[in-house]
Each structure stands twice: as C-alpha cells, then as structure tokens.
Amino acid sequence: MRNILAMVAGLAIGSAVNGTLISMSASAIPPPAGADVTTMEGLKASMHLFEPKHFIFPFLAHALGTLVGAAVAARIAAGKQRHFALAIGLAFLAGGVASVLMLPAPLWFDALDLVGAYIPMAWIGWKFATHKVHRRVVA
C-alpha cells in the first residue's frame, strides 16, 4: 500500500510542480507578441515565434517536476527507493515524448529536454531523498 502511495504522491506532486511553473512562465517571460498560448492549436501555430528564453520555464518545469516527484516517491516507498524514483522519471519522460510528438519545438530543446529533464533529475531526486546527513558531534 505504501508503494502505491509513493507512486501516486510522486506523480501528483511532481505534476503540481510542473503545472505551477508552466502557469508562472508567462508572467516571468511573456510569450512573443501574437502568440496564442491558450490552446494547443494556437501554441503549435505560434511556436516559430518563440526564442530560446521562452523555453527556460518549460525545461525547468519538466526537470523540477520530475526531481520533486521522484524525491517524494523515493521518500515514501517502503523499499527499492531508486526504482520508484526512476519509475517517476520514466512516467514524466513518457509525457515529454508525447510533448515532442505534439509540439513543433526546436530540435535543440527537444533533445535537451528528453536527455536532461527526466531520468537524470529522477536519479538526483532519489539521491536527495535517500541521502543521510552525517553530523559530527563536537565535544
């Protein structure tokens, strides 16, 4: 039961982090003039207007959502924490592949996103969640 909770919580919290960062992106870096980012069709049609700076928040959303989701899953899992963290990474990677297939983003972004935002971030999330802090007692 605890392992099911680990997966559900990892996916839910990681998705919440991802969604929050995506929703904040337009206020931090406004979309290009004339770009309709309210619908998938509008986003597809205006993707050619995007500059590299417009891809910062999507990458951060994917990377940090995966990192947090993997850390949560690893922290909650009853055992084999690394497997649960990497399973979260694979789930988010599947979402990344779907995004690549749906949106005509630049190849450099697709490659960076797929290679850097999912499995490496899941591994780092696992390391953060399972890292034991060793403290020296000073007498």
Side-chain angles (χ1 to χ4, degrees), residues 13 28 37 45-46 48-49 81 83 88 98 106 110 135:
I13 293 171
V37 296
S46 57
H48 69 281
L49 300 172
Q81 289 84 0
H83 294 153
I88 296 295
D110 289 341
R135 299 179 189 183

Coordinates of all heavy atoms in Angstrom, one line a residue, residues 13 28 37 45-46 48-49 81 83 88 98 106 110 135:
I13 N 2.4 15.2 -7.0 CA 3.2 16.4 -6.5 C 4.1 16.9 -7.6 O 4.3 18.1 -7.9 CB 3.9 16.1 -5.2 CG1 2.9 15.9 -4.1 CG2 4.9 17.2 -4.9 CD1 3.4 15.3 -2.8
A28 N 6.7 35.6 -15.9 CA 8.2 35.8 -15.8 C 8.8 36.1 -17.2 O 9.6 37.0 -17.2 CB 8.8 34.5 -15.3
V37 N -1.1 31.2 -26.6 CA -0.6 30.0 -25.8 C -1.7 29.4 -25.0 O -1.5 28.6 -24.1 CB 0.6 30.4 -24.9 CG1 1.8 30.8 -25.7 CG2 0.2 31.5 -23.9
A45 N 0.7 26.8 -33.7 CA 0.8 27.8 -34.8 C 1.8 28.9 -34.5 O 2.4 29.5 -35.5 CB -0.6 28.4 -35.1
S46 N 2.0 29.2 -33.3 CA 2.9 30.3 -32.9 C 4.3 29.9 -32.4 O 5.1 30.7 -32.1 CB 2.3 31.2 -31.9 OG 1.9 30.5 -30.7
H48 N 6.9 29.0 -33.9 CA 8.0 29.6 -34.7 C 8.4 31.0 -34.2 O 9.5 31.5 -34.5 CB 7.7 29.7 -36.2 CG 6.6 30.7 -36.5 ND1 5.2 30.4 -36.2 CD2 6.6 31.9 -37.0 CE1 4.5 31.5 -36.6 NE2 5.3 32.4 -37.0
L49 N 7.6 31.6 -33.4 CA 7.8 32.9 -32.8 C 8.7 32.9 -31.5 O 9.2 33.9 -31.1 CB 6.5 33.7 -32.5 CG 5.6 33.9 -33.7 CD1 4.2 34.5 -33.2 CD2 6.2 34.9 -34.7
Q81 N 13.8 2.3 -3.2 CA 13.5 3.7 -3.5 C 14.0 4.1 -4.8 O 13.3 4.9 -5.5 CB 14.1 4.6 -2.4 CG 13.4 4.5 -1.0 CD 13.9 3.3 -0.2 OE1 14.8 2.5 -0.6 NE2 13.3 3.2 1.0
H83 N 14.2 2.5 -7.6 CA 13.2 2.0 -8.6 C 12.0 2.9 -8.7 O 11.5 3.2 -9.8 CB 12.8 0.6 -8.3 CG 13.9 -0.4 -8.5 ND1 14.0 -1.6 -7.8 CD2 15.1 -0.4 -9.2 CE1 15.1 -2.2 -8.1 NE2 15.8 -1.5 -8.9
I88 N 9.1 7.2 -11.7 CA 8.5 8.6 -11.8 C 9.2 9.2 -13.0 O 8.6 9.9 -13.9 CB 8.7 9.4 -10.5 CG1 7.9 8.8 -9.4 CG2 8.3 10.8 -10.8 CD1 6.4 8.8 -9.5
A98 N 5.5 12.6 -25.5 CA 4.2 13.0 -26.0 C 4.3 14.4 -26.4 O 3.8 14.8 -27.5 CB 3.1 12.7 -25.0
P106 N 11.9 23.5 -31.2 CA 13.2 23.3 -31.9 C 13.8 22.0 -31.4 O 13.7 21.6 -30.3 CB 14.0 24.5 -31.4 CG 13.0 25.5 -30.9 CD 11.8 24.7 -30.4
D110 N 14.1 19.9 -27.8 CA 13.6 18.5 -27.6 C 14.7 17.6 -27.1 O 14.5 16.8 -26.1 CB 13.0 18.0 -28.9 CG 11.7 18.6 -29.3 OD1 11.0 19.2 -28.5 OD2 11.3 18.5 -30.5
R135 N 26.4 14.0 10.9 CA 26.8 15.1 11.7 C 27.8 14.7 12.7 O 27.7 13.6 13.3 CB 25.6 15.7 12.4 CG 24.5 16.2 11.5 CD 23.4 16.8 12.2 NE 22.3 17.1 11.3 CZ 21.2 17.6 11.6 NH1 20.9 17.9 12.8 NH2 20.3 17.8 10.7

